[in-house]
Amino acid sequence: MEIENYIVSTDQQLVACVLSGDPVAFEHLFNRYRDSIYQLYVQRTGGNADDASDLLQETFVKVYLNLQRYDSRYTFGQWVYTIARNTFIDYTRRRRDDTVSIDRLGERMSSSLGGPTPEERMITDQNRARLEAILDRMSPRYRQLIELRFFKEYSYEEIAAKLSLPMGTVKTGIHRAREQLCRFIADRGGGER
């Protein structure tokens, strides 16, 4: 599809393209909602840009993993906002010693959006397998940072202490790891580089 076609496509058309295997369409969906969701998180975290960035990435990983569950009776923006709101609620309730595995994360996402049908469960399992494949492609350092920050929900300070690294190194590493994760997701859901 030509770039102009992505720009003029509706959200529902882009969702259909993503579900049929077009990673560029997801990038356009992300770009449409990135700034507004980020600003929402900046406001709700009291201006904490690091947490806002983390929440934004977490939101769009959830959007990607659950895209097949989007109901076109609602606007895509409403659906993304609902995921963002639920992600923020989870963020405020987290306990630092939570050890959420990738499987548990998928279960939490499914339960927060209503019970899955067998078809949705199969698609979620496939997406979880794709996420695992993407994580396997990441460098060990970046994978460790992603797992600590997003699956085990460690704070930056806890990660710095656990890995005996300066705070700046941790922040930079997590930023680069998130970028790599998003690049791999956009790259055909974890296909060729």
Side-chain angles (χ1 to χ4, degrees):
M1 183 184 300
E2 295 295 320
I3 195 79
E4 297 83 21
N5 293 335
Y6 288 111
I7 293 169
V8 298
S9 292
T10 66
D11 291 344
Q12 289 79 9
Q13 289 169 326
L14 290 175
V15 168
C17 289
V18 174
L19 292 175
S20 66
D22 183 350
V24 176
F26 186 76
E27 186 178 337
H28 282 273
L29 283 171
F30 174 76
N31 289 337
R32 283 184 183 176
Y33 292 95
R34 172 188 58 212
D35 293 340
S36 60
I37 299 297
Y38 177 78
Q39 287 304 318
L40 171 76
Y41 285 142
V42 167
Q43 291 170 352
R44 291 196 175 175
T45 61
N48 186 325
D50 291 332
D51 284 347
S53 291
D54 289 346
L55 288 164
L56 177 69
Q57 295 300 327
E58 185 177 341
T59 297
F60 278 92
V61 168
K62 288 178 181 181
V63 167
Y64 177 77
L65 291 173
N66 289 285
L67 196 59
Q68 78 285 350
R69 300 185 75 205
Y70 165 64
D71 184 346
S72 61
R73 290 181 296 175
Y74 304 98
T75 68
F76 187 74
Q78 289 172 319
W79 187 71
V80 171
Y81 178 78
T82 300
I83 292 173
R85 186 188 69 223
N86 290 339
T87 300
F88 186 76
I89 290 168
D90 289 346
Y91 163 79
T92 60
R93 292 182 181 162
R94 286 181 189 147
R95 292 193 325 206
R96 299 291 183 217
D97 61 347
D98 191 9
T99 54
V100 178
S101 70
I102 291 172
D103 290 337
R104 291 280 305 144
L105 178 66
E107 290 169 17
R108 280 178 37 195
M109 286 187 293
S110 293
S111 66
S112 71
L113 298 171
T117 66
E119 179 184 77
E120 290 170 339
R121 182 72 176 162
M122 181 182 77
I123 293 170
T124 299
D125 290 344
Q126 289 171 345
N127 286 339
R128 191 176 306 119
R130 272 190 238 148
L131 181 59
E132 273 291 341
I134 290 168
L135 289 172
D136 286 344
R137 289 179 55 204
M138 297 181 78
S139 70
R141 168 70 81 193
Y142 285 172
R143 180 183 174 127
Q144 180 183 35
L145 289 171
I146 291 291
E147 288 175 347
L148 289 173
R149 181 67 180 151
F150 297 107
F151 300 122
K152 294 186 179 180
E153 301 174 349
Y154 281 34
S155 68
Y156 285 97
E157 293 81 11
E158 290 169 325
I159 295 170
K162 182 172 181 67
L163 301 179
S164 301
L165 293 172
M167 182 66 71
T169 302
V170 169
K171 288 180 178 182
T172 300
I174 289 172
H175 177 76
R176 290 179 180 161
R178 280 193 324 251
E179 285 180 342
Q180 186 179 68
L181 178 65
C182 289
R183 210 171 35 249
F184 286 168
I185 287 173
D187 182 21
R188 301 195 187 280
E192 271 71 48
R193 283 189 185 181

